[in-house]
Structures are given as structure tokens and as C-alpha cells.
Amino acid sequence: MQQFRPDKKQPVKKAPVAPASKPAAPGQSGYAAQKAALTPEGDSYDAQKAALSPDVGSVGGVKMDAMPGGPTNEPSRKKRKKKKRKSRARRRRAAARRRAQQAAAKKKRQQQLQPTTTDTTTDTTTDTTTVTPAPQPVVEPTPAPQPVVEPTPTVEPTPEPEPVVEPTPEPEPEPVVPLDPMLDPSVNPDPTNEYAPEADYEEFSGTIAVQGEGDAHAIDANDVKQGSIGNCYFVAQLAAMAMHKPDLIQDLIKDNGNGTYSVTLYLKDKVHTWKRSKTEVVVSSEFPTKGGGRAAYAKPGDKGSDGPELWVMLIEKAFAKYTGNYEETRGKKTKDGDVFAMMSGKSSGYKRLSSMSGDVLLRVLTTAVTNGQPVSFGAHGKSALDEEGQKGAKEAGVVLNHAYAMRGVDAKARTISLYNPWGVKHLDDIDVDVIKTYYSNIKIGA
Amino acid sequence: MSGLLRIEETTVADVDGWMLTVGNVMRGRWVDADGRAHEGLSAELGIYDAERALVSEFTVGPGLEVRIAGVRWRVAAVSPGPEPDDNGTLTLARLG
């Protein structure tokens, strides 16, 4: 047994009483914190050892040198045992208090984290593992947001119909696509040109064709009367076609019964210009006028019970609609001078009169008439003739730089008759040599 | 109708239902309203009534006066086309 030596400085031991509710160190968590807080032996093993060992100079924080009778005193042994019992009882009570406090703290914590949880009697060991859900407190106020959530479903029905509506307009544009301007009768070509800058559209109530006095057919060459634009090549070929193939023209035009007409032409492909496509062009019965209800361009034909005949005006307008305006139907600007092919779909033959004799010309023309082929003539331009030549053309009644339709040939008499698309100033029984002098070319339809 | 009427060569104009045809814009001779003879750029003008019957056809040049459907007109100008074989223009000025 060791003796107490007062000269030796003894370390002062802390009382073994552990704090009732020792908080876990800030960096301590989980099991380590729990162990540190809940171990029944106290704060540490060393502290426990110091508190219970009889060799240690103090018991329960009381210095031994303060005990009467010294360490070997019998009554003091009983006192020590009694103290030990009291000390154990205190520790047990302290541990019970700590457990109770731990349980209360855990219950409180669980109430904060999961108020709906009924497992409040969970063991402390499991309690340490349930500390993890830190973000949940943010979720707890959710009972309050519920009224906020409620209006949301009322908003949701609004976007729901939208996707239903959106697909509906998508298929709608498809039927709009086929609305080709060529088929839209409300689309009119520009009615103006340099000589009719004020031209505007007016309604003409009429019919496709009327068989007037002296007409062989309802579609007749004398229905052709050129207007205020230089498209003589166009109307001359219409007149020639009307002489030989009136039924073909009749079949090109259909009355739609609603004030519109469908005109079917073999129009040049705008990219591959050597190709022609059978194209329907729908036009209204509005035509350009210069005021006063009189047509600015091709004139109406014979008058019938349903009004004047319109076939020349309809075909001219359909071609103007194809080109975009009347201006580009003039001979100087046209992209398609083969009006025979435009109506029949078959290319015409073009011949220069300078390359053939009068006899050959008469033979070619006779053959064309026999075959029912339309023929048009083109007069010389002024530059092809000198002043005397121009004067001679005028005296012969020829309009230079103008187109005509052939309306007859007499091989025996060696004469040719031409129809002027003006509707007046025709040339009848002109000698073939005069023709060869003032005309440069012929066009023969298929 | 406005005071000036421009008619393209080789085409037909309409004046109060009457037809005016214009062709052969070239050098020629004409006599003006005062009876004086002129030579220069001229045009061939045809006048037809509403029934397409020929009323008159003659060579006209600047200064010449014509009567169309009872209305007097004066030839204001005869102009060539931009190119030799382009259509020329006859311009008439309404007098009454």
C-alpha cells in the first residue's frame, strides 16, 4: 500500500461525475457522439479509474489527507464503502437522468422532423442513425403551401386545351396550299401598260361564244379585234386558229357558272422552256378598261342574248395572268410567240419567206389549208425596207411590223388573202410576189 | 377622257366607241389645218365608226387636225420607237 506523502504534489482529479447531458462535440456525430454522451462509466476510462481505485489519493473529489484516522482506519473503510454506494447510486441516478433527457431530446427532435411518425419509443441506438434527414424541416411547412398548390390544378386545365387546339391549325394550311394563283379567279394580271396607265378592271357579263351574222361558227375569226397593246402576233394566231379549228378553241374554255371561266392552255415551263404543260387558268369576267366600260385590250365579239362573246378576251387574259400582266403579252416582250402551240400543245412550223419561191410558198399554203392548219404572217419590220419600200408597203395597204392571219390562198390566181387582227383593213387577193416583198415569215400550226 | 391620247403603232384605240387604227410610223407627207404641206415623221391613221365602217384613212403628222365622233383633235406628236423596228407612237390632243 502506498503511503501518502504530503511533500509529493498530487494531481487534482476531477470528480467522476459526468455531466448530465454532455453535448456532442461539434465535429462529433453519430455513434461516437452517442458513446461519449451515454457511457454509464462517465466521461472517460481514466476518470472512472481515478474515481474508483483505492490507491488513488482522492475519492469522489475529496482529498484523503483530510480524513481523520488515516487510510488504515476501520471506521473510515465503512465510510468509504458507504460513500461508494452513495456514489454509485448518484451515478445511476445521473445516468437515469441522462437517459431520460436523451429520450426527451430524441422525442423532441423526432417531433420536429417527422411529426406524423408514431415511433417515439425508438431505441437510442437507432436514434443515432435517424439524424440524417436534415433537409426535411424545409418540407414540413408543406401543409401551408397546400392552398398554394390548389390553384395550380385550376391553371392546368388551361394549357391542356391548348395542345388540342394547336394541332388543329396545322392541317388547315394544307388545303390552302393548292390555291395556285392560276386557279384563283380573284387574282387578276396587272391591267396597265404604257398606253393605258389608268386601265382598271370592270365586269363584263357575257358568254364564251356567239354565232353572229355571217359567222361560220360561234368561234369565228371576225370575233378577233385587237386593242390598245402591241400583241398582234397573239390575236393574229387566235384568228387563224378560229378559221380552221374553232372546236379546239371552244374546248379550251369552260364556263364555271359563277362568273369565272377556266381556260386550258399549253404553257411553257418557266424553267425548262422547251416543255409545255397543259395548264388550267381560272379567270373572272372582269377585264381592263380605260373607263366607260369599253375594253382596253381585245374587244368583245358578237352580241348575243346573254351578252357579248368573250372568248378572245378570256384567252388573252389567261395568257396575261400566266405572264403576270398584259404588258408582257406584247410582241416585244413575250416569252412565248407560238400561240398555236399554246392552244394545241403542238409546236408550229416557222418559215422565212426569203428562203422559198412564190410557187413553193403557194404550195405550202395550199397544203396547210387542205390539212386544216392555221397560218399566220409576219410583215417586215421598217428597218428591212428603204424609204421607197416603206412607201410601197403603205400603198399596198400593208401595215409593217404587224401580224396577220391567212384566210385564203388561190394557187391558180397566185394570190393570198390576209385577215388583219384589228378587225378592219384586211388584205384580199394580194399577189404572192407582193406578199413576198412585204412579209418576212409565216407560222403554220400543227 | 383626258386631253392627250397616246396610241401605239399597230394597235387600235377607242374614242367614244369609234376605232382609231395606227400603223406605218415612217417618213411621209401631210397637210396641216392651215393647208400647209409638211414632210417628216408621220403615221397612218384609220378612223372607223361604232359599226366598224371606215370613215377616213390618211397620213397624219404634227399640227394636223382631225374630227373623231364629232370632237376635234390635233396631232400633237408622232414619235419613233426606241429601236428602228419598235412600235412608234401617235399622240393626239383634244381640242373641243
Side-chain angles (χ1 to χ4, degrees):
Chain A
M1 182 165 294
Q2 287 183 336
Q3 294 293 319
F4 177 71
R5 292 186 294 183
D7 57 330
K8 188 176 180 179
K9 191 175 183 179
Q10 297 295 322
V12 178
K13 301 287 184 182
K14 286 181 84 175
V17 179
S21 59
K22 182 181 179 183
Q28 201 174 20
S29 63
Y31 177 75
Q34 181 70 9
K35 182 181 176 185
L38 300 181
T39 178
E41 287 78 20
D43 289 338
S44 67
Y45 174 78
D46 292 336
Q48 178 69 8
K49 185 179 176 184
L52 299 182
S53 173
D55 301 331
V56 175
S58 69
V59 175
V62 179
K63 286 188 176 179
M64 297 175 81
D65 57 353
M67 295 179 182
T72 58
N73 197 340
E74 194 63 24
S76 65
R77 180 177 294 170
K78 290 180 180 176
K79 286 181 181 177
R80 282 203 298 275
K81 285 183 179 176
K82 190 177 180 180
K83 280 185 179 179
K84 280 183 181 177
R85 283 198 297 272
K86 286 181 179 178
S87 176
R88 286 195 197 99
R90 277 200 303 273
R91 287 200 297 274
R92 282 193 211 100
R93 285 197 296 274
R97 279 199 303 275
R98 283 199 300 275
R99 281 197 291 274
Q101 287 171 348
Q102 285 288 337
K106 177 189 171 190
K107 185 176 180 182
K108 185 178 180 181
R109 203 162 50 241
Q110 285 180 338
Q111 283 176 342
Q112 287 176 341
L113 297 178
Q114 293 177 340
T116 55
T117 303
T118 54
D119 185 19
T120 54
T121 58
T122 317
D123 188 87
T124 53
T125 314
T126 56
D127 179 47
T128 57
T129 58
T130 56
V131 181
T132 47
Q136 284 184 351
V138 183
V139 182
E140 281 187 29
T142 48
Q146 281 181 350
V148 181
V149 176
E150 282 176 11
T152 312
T154 60
V155 177
E156 283 175 9
T158 311
E160 279 177 8
E162 287 178 8
V164 179
V165 174
E166 284 176 9
T168 311
E170 285 177 6
E172 281 179 7
E174 292 178 7
V176 178
V177 173
L179 199 58
D180 186 332
M182 292 294 108
L183 299 176
D184 185 352
S186 67
V187 176
N188 283 328
D190 184 347
T192 63
N193 81 83
E194 179 185 346
Y195 295 92
E198 76 285 10
D200 203 358
Y201 281 97
E202 288 188 40
E203 179 77 21
F204 280 70
S205 181
T207 187
I208 294 173
V210 174
Q211 188 160 1
E213 190 178 339
D215 286 1
H217 305 92
I219 300 286
D220 195 281
N222 66 23
D223 300 329
V224 177
K225 287 168 271 187
Q226 186 183 353
S228 301
I229 194 164
N231 62 355
C232 54
Y233 76 97
F234 188 88
V235 284
Q237 291 181 66
L238 288 187
M241 187 66 96
M243 289 173 197
H244 299 281
K245 299 189 177 184
D247 292 343
L248 184 149
I249 294 175
Q250 186 87 53
D251 292 343
L252 293 178
I253 308 170
K254 187 182 80 175
D255 187 345
N256 296 322
N258 58 358
T260 70
Y261 298 85
S262 293
V263 181
T264 302
L265 298 174
Y266 296 86
L267 297 171
K268 279 186 175 179
D269 190 292
K270 293 192 174 178
V271 178
H272 308 293
T273 54
W274 66 90
K275 288 171 60 179
R276 289 184 182 276
S277 300
K278 191 175 184 179
T279 307
E280 181 183 356
V281 183
V282 180
V283 296
S284 69
S285 53
E286 296 175 320
F287 298 97
T289 73
K290 296 169 81 173
R294 278 187 279 274
Y297 306 121
K299 312 296 181 191
D302 296 303
K303 289 179 182 174
S305 57
D306 294 328
E309 62 182 342
L310 304 172
W311 70 268
V312 181
M313 300 166 73
L314 290 167
I315 296 176
E316 182 185 56
K317 182 178 179 180
F319 184 51
K321 188 165 178 170
Y322 164 71
T323 62
N325 52 62
Y326 279 87
E327 172 67 15
E328 290 189 43
T329 68
R330 67 169 62 247
K332 178 79 174 179
K333 296 184 176 179
T334 186
K335 296 181 178 70
D336 190 357
D338 193 350
V339 184
F340 292 147
M342 197 185 298
M343 290 187 279
S344 69
K346 300 171 185 173
S347 297
S348 59
Y350 178 88
K351 296 184 183 301
R352 290 197 168 278
L353 300 189
S354 59
S355 66
M356 63 178 75
S357 67
D359 290 339
V360 172
L361 175 58
L362 289 169
R363 195 161 53 246
V364 167
L365 296 177
T366 301
T367 302
V369 170
T370 302
N371 294 340
Q373 295 174 284
V375 180
S376 68
F377 277 70
H380 275 304
K382 287 169 282 188
S383 64
L385 302 171
D386 59 16
E387 193 170 324
E388 283 302 311
Q390 292 179 1
K391 186 179 177 182
K394 192 159 85 174
E395 289 173 350
V398 175
V399 179
L400 295 175
N401 209 30
H402 192 44
Y404 293 75
M406 188 188 79
R407 64 178 178 182
V409 57
D410 188 337
K412 284 185 180 177
R414 296 176 60 82
T415 59
I416 297 166
S417 296
L418 300 178
Y419 181 89
N420 188 330
W422 289 347
V424 295
K425 199 175 172 59
H426 308 299
L427 297 173
D428 288 321
D429 304 323
I430 306 296
D431 188 271
V432 68
D433 293 329
V434 172
I435 294 289
K436 277 181 54 63
T437 302
Y438 299 118
Y439 291 83
S440 64
N441 64 79
I442 59 172
K443 190 171 285 187
I444 303 174
Chain B
M1 180 166 288
S2 64
L4 287 179
L5 173 62
R6 297 177 72 241
I7 308 171
E8 182 182 6
E9 183 183 2
T10 76
T11 72
V12 181
D14 184 297
V15 176
D16 297 331
W18 286 39
M19 285 174 56
L20 303 182
T21 63
V22 175
N24 294 328
V25 173
M26 58 180 68
R27 190 170 180 83
R29 297 180 67 179
W30 73 96
V31 179
D32 67 18
D34 298 328
R36 289 180 295 190
H38 297 270
E39 187 165 347
L41 196 60
S42 66
E44 191 173 24
L45 175 66
I47 302 173
Y48 298 81
D49 65 16
E51 302 301 320
R52 287 202 275 175
L54 179 61
V55 174
S56 61
E57 185 180 45
F58 47 97
T59 299
V60 301
L64 185 80
E65 287 187 13
V66 296
R67 187 172 287 271
I68 304 168
V71 178
R72 288 171 57 229
W73 295 76
R74 179 188 292 272
V75 176
V78 177
S79 310
E83 301 291 330
D85 285 334
D86 287 345
N87 287 335
T89 302
L90 171 65
T91 304
L92 300 177
R94 186 175 181 128
L95 300 176

